[in-house]
């Protein structure tokens, strides 16, 4: 856009290239684009990237499917991992995603992987509390006391 402004102000192509630190060929391409497609075509346009494999309708279904829990899709334990989400998407929609990309999909639908709410069934609360009260204090590191020599 600045190159076009300078061109409109009467600058030569060579001077514009020098002032902006680009080649004369680049300036020439910009001017050609501006003349054929209009000045607005010079604005930066980020590359569009690949088209999403899941449609917007399918993306809208993701939170509902995740709310059913991992066990509803044949997994042991009700914890969603990115690998499990990738397998579920493949099974339900027939679309393959790398597990690392699934975290982006989950963020896109405002869903985050959480720790399970249920605690282990074999958990012994009494034994845990006894360990915390009796064993843990003995294991905690205590600050060493400085011994200051007595001066006579």
């Amino acid at each position: 856009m600045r190159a076009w402004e300078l061109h409109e102000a009467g600058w030569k192509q060579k001077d514009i290239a020098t002032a902006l630190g680009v080649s004369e060929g680049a300036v020439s391409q910009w001017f050609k684009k501006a003349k054929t497609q209009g000045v607005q075509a010079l604005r930066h346009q980020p590359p569009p990237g690949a088209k999403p494999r899941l449609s917007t309708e399918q993306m809208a279904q993701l939170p509902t499917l995740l709310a059913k829990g991992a066990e509803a899709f044949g997994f042991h334990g009700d914890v969603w991992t990115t690998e499990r989400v990738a397998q579920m998407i493949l099974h339900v929609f027939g679309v393959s995603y790398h597990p690392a990309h699934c975290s982006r999909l989950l963020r896109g639908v405002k869903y985050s992987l959480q720790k399970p709410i249920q605690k282990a069934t074999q958990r012994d609360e009494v034994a845990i509390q006894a360990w915390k009260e009796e064993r843990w204090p003995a294991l905690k590191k205590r600050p060493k006391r400085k011994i200051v020599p007595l001066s006579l």
Side-chain angles (χ1 to χ4, degrees):
M1 293 299 290
R2 181 71 181 135
W4 187 257
E5 291 171 4
L6 295 174
H7 175 70
E8 292 292 306
W11 285 44
K12 293 183 180 177
Q13 187 170 317
K14 176 177 68 171
D15 298 331
I16 294 171
T18 304
L20 298 178
V22 296
S23 68
E24 289 182 48
V27 176
S28 175
Q29 288 176 2
W30 295 340
F31 290 166
K32 182 179 179 182
K33 188 174 187 178
K35 289 174 184 172
T36 58
Q37 300 175 18
V39 179
Q40 293 302 320
L42 296 176
R43 293 199 179 278
H44 175 70
Q45 299 170 352
K51 291 193 176 204
R53 293 187 219 160
L54 290 179
S55 68
T56 51
E57 295 82 22
Q58 291 171 327
M59 285 293 289
Q61 292 175 19
L62 262 182
T64 307
L65 293 170
L66 295 168
K68 291 180 180 179
E71 290 181 342
F73 294 94
F75 299 109
H76 296 290
D78 210 18
V79 178
W80 281 113
T81 63
T82 54
E83 291 85 7
R84 288 180 173 190
V85 172
Q87 290 176 14
M88 183 267 295
I89 290 173
L90 179 61
H91 175 72
V92 174
F93 301 117
V95 176
S96 176
Y97 274 109
H98 189 277
H101 186 73
C102 288
S103 62
R104 291 187 196 128
L105 293 176
L106 294 174
R107 275 188 306 241
V109 295
K110 306 283 191 252
Y111 189 89
S112 65
L113 299 175
Q114 303 291 326
K115 291 182 181 177
I117 296 171
Q118 296 177 345
K119 295 181 179 177
T121 55
Q122 60 272 57
R123 184 178 168 101
D124 185 357
E125 295 294 335
V126 175
I128 292 171
Q129 191 60 35
W131 184 89
K132 283 181 181 179
E133 292 172 358
E134 298 166 13
R135 185 77 175 118
W136 176 242
L139 296 174
K140 278 173 86 172
K141 290 184 179 179
R142 294 188 182 121
K144 293 184 178 180
R145 293 186 194 176
K146 256 188 174 176
I147 301 174
V148 180
L150 295 173
S151 55
L152 298 171

